[in-house]
Amino acid sequence: MVVLFNEGVLKEVSSVEVKPMDVGDGKIIGTQINFVLTSGDKIEYIYSQNVPIEESGQRAIEFVRKLYNDGKADFSHEPVEML
């Protein structure tokens, strides 16, 4: 699967995981999306705190669904910050 991370930055990914960003005691502060590249490297992002948790979770799931169905997806416009 191929992901466009930024303009001119395409990377092959072998897996993607969406999970809640838990800071302990069950306190969820956001939605995290983790990529494992075919090289074995990992890239982790969290959706911006300006995006409600419910919306960020839905956006992340829709992104992964599109990536799985099409084999490629554009992540460059997602409101995320790299961890």
Side-chain angles (χ1 to χ4, degrees):
M1 298 177 289
V2 179
V3 175
L4 176 66
F5 284 97
N6 287 310
E7 183 139 350
V9 181
L10 284 171
K11 297 200 181 254
E12 282 268 341
V13 299
S14 57
S15 69
V16 182
E17 178 184 24
V18 174
K19 64 183 196 175
M21 179 88 173
D22 187 346
V23 293
D25 296 332
K27 184 174 180 177
I28 307 299
I29 63 165
T31 301
Q32 187 173 336
I33 187 166
N34 302 330
F35 296 90
V36 176
L37 305 180
T38 55
S39 66
D41 293 334
K42 295 179 183 179
I43 305 175
E44 298 178 339
Y45 291 92
I46 186 168
Y47 276 81
S48 171
Q49 291 181 348
N50 297 331
V51 180
I53 291 174
E54 297 82 13
E55 181 183 337
S56 65
Q58 188 61 39
R59 286 180 73 123
I61 289 169
E62 288 173 8
F63 170 81
V64 171
R65 185 174 291 127
K66 177 169 180 37
L67 178 61
Y68 176 75
N69 287 334
D70 297 346
K72 60 185 177 185
D74 184 350
F75 194 66
S76 64
H77 299 294
E78 290 297 306
V80 294
E81 300 167 17
M82 187 180 276
L83 290 177

